[in-house]
Amino acid sequence: MKKVRNSLKVAKWEFKRNVKNKSFLISLVLTPLIAIIFAVLPSLFAGGGDTPVHVYVKDDTGIWKDEVAPLLKQADLDWSVTLTDKDQKEMEKDFRDEEDMAYIPLTKEAVEKGQINYLTTEEIPDSFASDVQILAQPLQHLRLTEAGLTDEQLQAVSTDISFTAQELAGEDGSGDFLRKAVPGAAAGLVLFSIIMTGMMIVQSASQEKKEKVSEIILSSLTPSELMQGKIIGYFFLGILQVGFWIAVALPAIAIRFDEFPVMDYLLVPELLLLVFIALLGYLLFAAIFVGLGATMEDMSSTSNFQGMILMLPFFPFILISPVLSDPNGLIATIASYVPFTSPAILILRLSLLDQWPWLEIIGAIAVLILSIWVMIKIAGKIFEVGILLYGKNASIGEIIKWVKS
């Protein structure tokens, strides 16, 4: 019980010390702010460049006000319409020094021939050619009326045939990509954030070793209590970071994508397992980092071996492409059982698969838990000796010797 209390004291001290750190606070606020800026700016620039098209219409048919204008309002076209009596030659003179302008002559002769030749400036949006086709239906209706057809005949020939696409889902309805991807993305954010925060353990242990603070701390604590306290403290620091980011991200997503039911996709039972896998990943890498920090005298003078250990959390990025192309493939399956790649690959696979391979999941989690236990034991031996070794970085031979002792 005393060991637990001592470890919690260390965790509380590490949490308070880092949560007041300026660099941590800046990264805490700046990271979601940058993400929001990059998400919002493109739409602002895109929206700011839209200007209404000034459309001049010569309506000799008399259908614009009652039949065409309601269609334009329903289609929500960005047109500024002005009715005019000018012919094309007069409008050409007006168009010479103007932008985003169009002239549509709805003459009786043009309607009878079924060919409307309209005039535009060079700067007219490319979408105008397709938008103007909305006039075809009322003009066609006018031609049929003048042909002397009855109301029933008009309704039959003027009704369009529509095609509606219906996506074929799986038998269990699990074909919705977003329903699988959103919990996976949330768990991936948890894993990434707490591992990045956990990497601060290396710097903390190295700094305490360099400044010989560890000697004072270990006069009242055991090395295992100090190590466990660091792991717990940085875990809660990572959870604080993730919680803040999610609290900022959810309202931003709700505002930016109001039709996107993010909470319905996020709060699903599968999220619990995915987050549990992410937490196991943190415990594994935290044990590695705390042991590694005890072997380093200075962060700026790490050996190639120590540098490779620091890169272990990023190794799954190499496997993203084969896992995406075949989530049930050999590479994805093997990577699910390798402790250093297991957390990230499992989360990615489960975000892609319709049917979860429960035997593989249970086996991979069992291997991961066993690896965490072994790694904590190894890290404890390294930390116990290395934290009091001054003057140099430990070599591979020395680390192996400590583990065997």
Side-chain angles (χ1 to χ4, degrees), residues 366-387:
V367 171
L368 188 55
I369 292 174
L370 179 62
S371 302
I372 293 169
W373 180 80
V374 172
M375 195 56 63
I376 289 177
K377 292 290 184 183
I378 294 174
K381 291 185 177 182
I382 296 173
F383 189 85
E384 186 175 358
V385 180
I387 198 68

Side-chain angles (χ1 to χ4, degrees), residues 111-239:
V111 172
E112 288 175 1
K113 291 181 179 179
Q115 181 67 44
I116 310 293
N117 296 317
Y118 60 91
L119 179 68
T120 66
T121 58
E122 292 182 359
E123 297 81 8
I124 202 78
D126 294 336
S127 59
F128 184 80
S130 59
D131 292 341
V132 78
Q133 300 301 322
I134 196 172
L135 306 179
Q137 184 178 353
L139 292 175
Q140 178 69 7
H141 187 272
L142 175 64
R143 292 180 67 194
L144 295 174
T145 303
E146 292 180 348
L149 298 181
T150 64
D151 292 340
E152 291 80 6
Q153 290 172 328
L154 282 172
Q155 185 176 2
V157 297
S158 62
T159 302
D160 294 331
I161 299 175
S162 61
F163 295 85
T164 304
Q166 183 176 2
E167 185 177 350
L168 183 63
E171 293 181 0
D172 57 354
S174 58
D176 192 344
F177 173 74
L178 291 176
R179 196 170 296 278
K180 297 176 294 181
V182 170
L189 177 63
V190 172
L191 177 64
F192 176 77
S193 177
I194 58 179
I195 284 181
M196 292 302 294
T197 307
M199 292 183 76
M200 295 168 62
I201 297 177
V202 180
Q203 184 177 358
S204 172
S206 175
Q207 185 176 355
E208 289 174 5
K209 178 179 175 179
K210 182 180 179 181
E211 297 174 355
K212 299 186 179 180
V213 177
S214 53
E215 286 185 355
I216 302 172
I217 298 174
L218 292 174
S219 63
S220 56
L221 297 172
T222 64
S224 63
E225 290 169 352
L226 179 59
M227 183 186 78
Q228 292 167 10
K230 285 182 176 294
I231 292 175
I232 296 170
Y234 281 96
F235 167 75
F236 283 108
L237 200 66
I239 292 298

Side-chain angles (χ1 to χ4, degrees), residues 250-262:
L250 287 181
I253 293 173
I255 294 171
R256 179 67 179 83
F257 307 100
D258 54 349
E259 77 286 352
F260 182 65
V262 61

Side-chain angles (χ1 to χ4, degrees), residues 311-371:
M311 294 302 295
L312 282 177
F314 305 100
F315 185 69
F317 285 102
I318 302 174
L319 305 175
I320 286 180
S321 180
V323 174
L324 287 176
S325 53
D326 190 2
N328 275 325
L330 181 63
I331 294 177
T333 303
I334 293 175
S336 299
Y337 289 98
V338 178
F340 308 122
T341 60
S342 178
I345 297 301
L346 272 178
I347 291 174
L348 179 59
R349 287 185 66 196
L350 299 183
S351 302
L352 298 171
L353 293 173
D354 294 334
Q355 300 277 340
W356 283 11
W358 285 104
L359 288 179
E360 289 184 23
I361 295 171
I362 294 170
I365 290 177
V367 171
L368 188 55
I369 292 174
L370 179 62
S371 302

